[in-house]
Amino acid sequence: MIKDRILYEDNHLLVVNKNPGEIVQGDKTGDIPLLDTVKAYIKEKYNKPGDVFLGCVHRIDRPVSGALIFAKTSKALTRMTEMIKNRDFKKIYLAITDNKPQFEEQKLTHHLKKNESANKSFVTLPNTPGSKQAELSYKHIGSGKTLHLLSIDLHTGRHHQIRAQLSAIGLHIRGDVKYGARRANKDGSICLHAYRLIFNHPVGGKQLEITAPVPNTPEWIAFQIVL
């Protein structure tokens, strides 16, 4: 049930732990988006008549899991959008990779260009028309026999940024065959999780730090001890 995955809720914001495989907003598949599921939850819980206002503050790719923010008021949506635009918003992801990084910590800067038909982003030369600069920092926080766990501080918000940038340095996210992983996960997910969000509340300014539990799958369970 959606109420069991709510990480934070007040009059202005609602944060939910998105499952891998869920779509955030409607697309050509016709699958029920998480946006509609959360709207139905709000309508029932608060007995709201008519349409429920709910804005999607940011997005997470379908095979990715983790903390996703919805705005329950237009004021909150406008202010949160501005915060993200100005980078006054910290997003920490976790990724499980098939290869171990060369460095324990590293900042990555690339230029990415999205291929619309392939729904994929590629690393390009800096002067490539249509490309955008992408920045992230990673830290290696644990290794098993064959898999490795990274913490990622996302500095920009480009299309498929983490997937493309890690792939560019030979770190393929577990299950992400689109970006070079050797095989897919059985459930169609990839081992990338929006783990922690840190930002100031759009109404009142109090700092919030919201953490989303990782999926209950063998790959993630193996790293629970270091989280």
Side-chain angles (χ1 to χ4, degrees), residues 159-180:
H159 176 260
H160 290 184
Q161 179 181 334
I162 298 174
R163 301 164 69 180
Q165 286 196 270
L166 291 186
S167 177
I169 62 167
L171 301 179
H172 307 116
I173 295 171
R174 179 77 165 190
D176 196 3
V177 292
K178 176 172 279 193
Y179 285 92

Side-chain angles (χ1 to χ4, degrees), residues 66-118:
L68 183 70
I69 304 173
F70 293 102
K72 296 167 70 177
T73 63
S74 58
K75 178 191 290 187
L77 181 60
T78 299
R79 292 182 179 178
M80 289 298 299
T81 301
E82 193 67 19
M83 251 187 263
I84 292 175
K85 180 182 177 182
N86 295 332
R87 302 186 188 181
D88 297 326
F89 186 93
K90 193 174 184 67
K91 290 190 279 190
I92 305 296
Y93 280 74
L94 296 175
I96 297 174
T97 61
D98 289 338
N99 297 319
K100 186 177 180 179
Q102 182 180 0
F103 305 102
E104 289 298 300
E105 298 183 35
Q106 189 178 15
K107 181 178 180 179
L108 302 180
T109 301
H110 295 99
H111 278 73
L112 300 179
K113 184 173 182 179
K114 181 181 177 181
N115 183 309
E116 294 284 352
S117 60

Side-chain angles (χ1 to χ4, degrees), residues 4-224:
D4 298 326
R5 295 192 280 132
I6 292 173
L7 305 172
Y8 177 88
E9 184 180 4
D10 63 19
N11 291 335
H12 297 278
L13 298 176
L14 187 149
V15 185
V16 65
N17 194 4
K18 174 189 172 300
N19 288 329
E22 286 182 313
I23 55 170
V24 176
Q25 295 177 299
D27 64 8
K28 61 185 178 182
T29 65
D31 294 339
I32 298 173
L34 188 55
L35 181 70
D36 287 0
T37 302
V38 176
K39 278 185 177 182
Y41 157 80
I42 293 171
K43 188 176 183 66
E44 180 180 356
K45 180 178 180 180
Y46 299 102
N47 194 27
K48 283 185 172 286
D51 293 336
V52 171
F53 176 87
L54 192 68
C56 189
V57 172
H58 60 117
R59 298 187 186 186
I60 298 178
D61 297 339
R62 183 164 191 163
V64 180
S65 56
L68 183 70
I69 304 173
F70 293 102
K72 296 167 70 177
T73 63
S74 58
K75 178 191 290 187
L77 181 60
T78 299
R79 292 182 179 178
M80 289 298 299
T81 301
E82 193 67 19
M83 251 187 263
I84 292 175
K85 180 182 177 182
N86 295 332
R87 302 186 188 181
D88 297 326
F89 186 93
K90 193 174 184 67
K91 290 190 279 190
I92 305 296
Y93 280 74
L94 296 175
I96 297 174
T97 61
D98 289 338
N99 297 319
K100 186 177 180 179
Q102 182 180 0
F103 305 102
E104 289 298 300
E105 298 183 35
Q106 189 178 15
K107 181 178 180 179
L108 302 180
T109 301
H110 295 99
H111 278 73
L112 300 179
K113 184 173 182 179
K114 181 181 177 181
N115 183 309
E116 294 284 352
S117 60
N119 190 30
K120 185 175 179 180
S121 288
F122 295 87
V123 172
T124 65
L125 295 173
N127 59 352
T128 302
S131 68
K132 296 180 179 180
Q133 185 167 303
E135 296 178 359
L136 62 78
S137 300
Y138 75 76
K139 180 184 292 186
H140 173 226
I141 58 175
S143 286
K145 291 183 179 179
T146 60
L147 298 175
H148 312 276
L149 182 65
L150 307 182
S151 173
I152 297 159
D153 187 349
L154 194 60
H155 304 311
T156 55
R158 309 306 183 199
H159 176 260
H160 290 184
Q161 179 181 334
I162 298 174
R163 301 164 69 180
Q165 286 196 270
L166 291 186
S167 177
I169 62 167
L171 301 179
H172 307 116
I173 295 171
R174 179 77 165 190
D176 196 3
V177 292
K178 176 172 279 193
Y179 285 92
R182 289 187 287 272
R183 59 181 177 272
N185 291 337
K186 290 181 180 179
D187 62 359
S189 70
I190 65 174
C191 292
L192 180 61
H193 181 75
Y195 184 58
R196 184 168 290 134
L197 302 174
I198 303 170
F199 60 96
N200 292 331
H201 194 283
V203 182
K206 179 183 178 181
Q207 187 180 77
L208 298 177
E209 183 170 330
I210 300 168
T211 300
V214 297
N216 189 33
T217 61
E219 294 89 354
W220 289 108
I221 290 171
F223 287 108
Q224 288 277 13

